[in-house]
């Protein structure tokens, strides 16, 4: 299963319909292999519909999501809306932005296994005790 984000652009000043999730669900057919839908109406720069789609690979999941969204956008409730992009979100960028925002993005590992995702005092640090 893949998460595909469909970025939608609406007419200026028009919010994503409140019933967006149920409208997507209602338009889904078995071939879409849709498992779950979420809506992010305040996402920037465009509202996002998150589609969890079963597929053998990412390209197939993105294609299924785009096809479903185009079908949904034909409905009257989405008059004037268009599909900007349907692709899997880059999760690494999200975590990187969290690190940058908190000041933890200190760069690459320091050679001792320390980096932005690892605390300075790690339990894997070699012990000073030696066996005889």
């Amino acid at each position: 299963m893949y998460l595909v984000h469909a970025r939608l652009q609406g007419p200026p000043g028009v919010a994503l319909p409140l019933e967006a999730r149920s409208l997507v669900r209602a338009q889904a057919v078995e071939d879409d292999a849709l498992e779950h839908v979420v809506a992010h109406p305040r996402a920037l720069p465009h509202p996002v519909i998150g589609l969890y789609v079963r597929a053998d690979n990412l390209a197939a999941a993105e294609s299924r999501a785009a096809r479903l969204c185009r079908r949904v956008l034909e409905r009257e409730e989405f008059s004037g809306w268009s599909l900007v992009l349907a692709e899997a979100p880059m999760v690494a960028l999200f975590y990187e932005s969290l690190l940058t925002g908190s000041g933890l993005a200190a760069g690459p590992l320091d050679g001792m296994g320390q980096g932005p995702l690892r605390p300075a005092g790690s339990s894997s640090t070699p012990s000073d005790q030696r066996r005889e």
Side-chain angles (χ1 to χ4, degrees):
M1 183 167 37
Y2 294 89
L3 168 61
V4 178
H5 277 180
R7 298 188 183 283
L8 306 176
Q9 184 168 2
V14 176
L16 189 68
L18 294 175
E19 64 274 24
R21 287 180 53 213
S22 60
L23 291 170
V24 170
R25 266 259 178 244
Q27 292 299 305
V29 297
E30 189 173 338
D31 287 344
D32 294 327
L34 182 67
E35 287 290 322
H36 185 67
V37 181
V38 294
H40 304 285
R42 293 184 192 91
L44 295 175
H46 305 288
V48 170
I49 301 287
L51 304 137
Y52 290 84
V53 179
R54 283 178 282 112
D56 291 334
N57 58 60
L58 180 58
E62 290 174 339
S63 177
R64 287 177 180 175
R67 184 178 61 232
L68 173 55
C69 286
R70 287 188 191 97
R71 195 174 327 121
V72 170
L73 293 175
E74 291 174 3
R75 294 190 48 103
E76 182 180 325
E77 295 90 343
F78 283 96
S79 180
W81 285 81
S82 61
L83 177 63
V84 175
L85 189 63
E87 68 179 8
M90 294 300 296
V91 177
L93 295 176
F94 168 74
Y95 288 109
E96 188 174 314
S97 72
L98 288 178
L99 292 173
T100 302
S102 66
L104 296 175
L109 294 176
D110 66 4
M112 296 184 59
Q114 308 303 316
L117 297 178
R118 188 171 182 148
S122 171
S123 62
S124 63
T125 304
S127 171
D128 286 338
Q129 297 176 345
R130 298 176 195 253
R131 292 185 183 220
E132 293 184 20

